[in-house]
Amino acid sequence: MKLALNLFDFTQKVNYRNEILAGLTVAMTMIPESLSFAILAGFPPLVGLYAAFIAGLITAVFGGRPGMVSGGAGATVVVLIALMRSNGLEYVFAAVALAGVIQILIGLFKFSKFIRLVPQPVMYGFVNGLAVIIFMSQLDQFKVLSNGTLTWLQGEPMMIMLGLVALTVAIVVGFPKITKKIPASLVAIVVVFALVVGFGINTKTVQDIASVEGGFPPFHIPNIPFTLEAFKIILPYSLIFAAVGLTEGLLTLNLVDEMTGTKGNGNRECIAQGTSNIANGFFFGMGGCPMIAQTLVNLSAGSRARLSGIIASITILLIILFGAPIIGQLPMAALVGVMIMVALGTFEWASFKIIKKMPKHDIFVGILVAVITVVLHNLALAVLIGVIISALVFAWESAKRIRARTYIDEKGVKHYDIYGPLFFGSVMTFSEKFNIEEDPEEVIINFKESRVSDMSAIETLNSITKKYSNAGKKVHLQNLSTDCIRLLDNAEAVIDVNIIKDPEYLVAVEK
């Protein structure tokens, strides 16, 4: 039996030691991050941990590929801050559940393939922006709450924090040279934890952020009025939440595909994300999506199967139920050091090597996406702007490629052989190629090396054929596709099409 319930591939060789150790490492790094994001948004701390458990478990089992880790990510939490402040936590739960429904619909209708429209410069900007966010978020751990405001640590506490972070980074960098059988990040966390406890070092710990003690996530129907007005309130947040979550999730999936040389299933990931967010909405979770930092921690620890994600989720639940006193003593410096190394590993340093070889507009798009990601923490907006700018640049460059080769044959017929795509950006240049008054009585426009792409092109052809007809001249349009012929209703009397030579344009679609 190769597949059981289409969940686990039992033909895959699983390194159980790597999976278990990777899962424990991921859990250690996810706990403080989930707590921080929950507190940032004004949620109860446990709401963040419940999201890490629920989203992590469901997507690990049902997600689009092994190795990805989901939880209460900052990209989605930022979307909900305004709703939390204006309408409260119950509306947040309702919005998260509705976002889950939207994500499931996107997966069922197989819209995940549109992630292919994201160009490589946008990917570079996305990854580099996230790396900067991960790094910058760690700086808050060097601050302490004083008189209601965050201030930098001073004197000995700062030196201790810096020293422990430096030790963590040194272990993460150096330990793989000794052995790769145990994740270096987990070793670093354990060593720093042992030093702090053994020598009684006074430093910032997980319990200084918030308590991680609680019970099993209780079932709870969001307490909001089931009215059209309430729906209108949560719908915009749900749409943005769904878009941000799927964008980050599918881009992370593509990134993992490249790193592991395997292929994930985007539509399945959409459905799994949606299911996890519906569960979050009804079990006191703040929702979430795949977390690129924890995913990279997972992969760097050697995980290639689903088991590590399941281990991480169950570990978080066990810590909530039983292990809070121990995890509360975990020094934040160790976790900060691990996350700093994750940020450095996430950054696409190769983008600096090829920057001189990239077109200027690609460099601009990559930098712009990174800046928007860092400044606004809005991944969906950053990617959308990057895609739009890339599309406009492509349209402009393609518009410049329309050209015509003209000649008059022995019968006195003038031929216009068109090269390049005919679409909204190139129609003006295309129209300028024709000299209707000086052309002979019969003209042939050949589209064998061209493609009529949109309604603007169709209207331009209609206009040209009308002008030739009004001038008492006959024009033949050759090698047009059949869909264009049907739309050229104003030129039916003068169209001459060779269907046999008509090219067929095939588009790759996901089965």
Side-chain angles (χ1 to χ4, degrees), residues 57-66 253 265 268-269 272-273 306:
L57 181 61
I58 292 177
T59 56
V61 176
F62 299 100
R65 61 155 302 109
L253 184 143
N265 187 321
R268 179 170 169 175
E269 182 63 31
Q273 278 194 49
R306 298 181 182 273

Side-chain angles (χ1 to χ4, degrees), residues 487-509:
L487 292 175
L488 285 170
D489 51 2
N490 292 333
E492 289 178 353
V494 292
I495 296 177
D496 180 21
V497 182
N498 189 335
I499 300 296
I500 297 176
K501 295 182 180 179
D502 231 21
E504 291 188 12
Y505 299 91
L506 303 179
V507 179
V509 295

Side-chain angles (χ1 to χ4, degrees), residues 373-391:
T373 303
V374 172
V375 174
L376 299 181
H377 286 215
N378 191 330
L379 177 61
L381 178 62
V383 172
L384 179 61
I385 291 176
V387 171
I388 290 174
I389 293 177
S390 297

Side-chain angles (χ1 to χ4, degrees), residues 120-143:
Q120 192 63 39
V122 176
M123 284 288 289
Y124 280 140
F126 152 73
V127 173
N128 292 343
L130 281 179
V132 174
I133 288 176
I134 294 170
F135 180 83
M136 295 298 293
S137 65
Q138 304 313 307
L139 298 182
D140 287 338
Q141 304 307 328
F142 291 89
K143 299 177 181 179

Side-chain angles (χ1 to χ4, degrees), residues 168-394:
T168 304
V169 171
I171 295 174
V172 173
V173 173
F175 191 78
K177 298 177 181 178
I178 301 174
T179 179
K180 295 183 179 179
K181 293 183 178 181
I182 304 175
S185 50
L186 181 59
V187 173
I189 292 172
V190 172
V191 169
V192 174
F193 178 69
L195 284 175
V196 169
V197 174
F199 290 94
I201 299 174
N202 184 19
T203 186
K204 191 175 183 180
T205 61
V206 170
Q207 68 183 6
D208 293 327
I209 299 178
S211 172
V212 296
E213 187 175 0
F216 192 86
F219 177 77
H220 167 74
I221 298 176
N223 186 20
I224 68 169
F226 289 88
T227 61
L228 182 60
E229 289 72 19
F231 179 77
K232 289 180 179 178
I233 292 174
I234 65 173
L235 180 60
Y237 295 96
S238 298
L239 289 171
I240 298 173
F241 185 101
V244 169
L246 291 185
T247 302
E248 181 163 358
L250 294 174
L251 289 178
T252 303
L253 184 143
N254 283 357
L255 184 64
V256 177
D257 285 351
E258 293 180 8
M259 294 177 63
T260 61
T262 56
K263 181 65 177 175
N265 187 321
N267 294 315
R268 179 170 169 175
E269 182 63 31
C270 294
I271 295 173
Q273 278 194 49
T275 304
S276 75
N277 282 321
I278 291 176
N280 264 281
F282 287 95
F283 285 91
F284 277 97
M286 65 182 183
C289 67
M291 305 173 73
I292 188 169
Q294 276 65 34
T295 298
L296 292 173
V297 168
N298 193 37
L299 295 177
S300 64
S303 171
R304 293 296 182 270
R306 298 181 182 273
L307 182 59
S308 62
I310 298 172
I311 293 292
S313 303
I314 293 176
T315 300
I316 290 173
L317 177 62
L318 292 177
I319 288 171
I320 294 172
L321 298 176
F322 310 109
I326 297 176
I327 297 301
Q329 299 299 318
L330 200 66
M332 287 302 303
L335 304 176
V336 168
V338 170
M339 297 307 294
I340 287 176
M341 291 306 299
V342 168
L344 294 176
T346 302
F347 198 90
E348 284 283 1
W349 300 102
S351 59
F352 288 122
K353 296 180 181 179
I354 64 173
I355 194 167
K356 293 182 179 179
K357 302 177 181 179
M358 295 172 63
K360 292 182 179 179
H361 56 78
D362 283 346
I363 298 173
F364 171 75
V365 168
I367 294 175
L368 180 64
V369 171
V371 169
I372 295 175
T373 303
V374 172
V375 174
L376 299 181
H377 286 215
N378 191 330
L379 177 61
L381 178 62
V383 172
L384 179 61
I385 291 176
V387 171
I388 290 174
I389 293 177
S390 297
L392 291 175
V393 170
F394 173 78

Side-chain angles (χ1 to χ4, degrees), residues 27-37 49 141 206 209 330 332 335:
M28 294 303 102
T29 61
M30 190 181 292
I31 287 173
E33 191 163 342
S34 299
L35 289 172
S36 299
F37 287 140
L49 293 183
Q141 304 307 328
V206 170
I209 299 178
L330 200 66
M332 287 302 303
L335 304 176

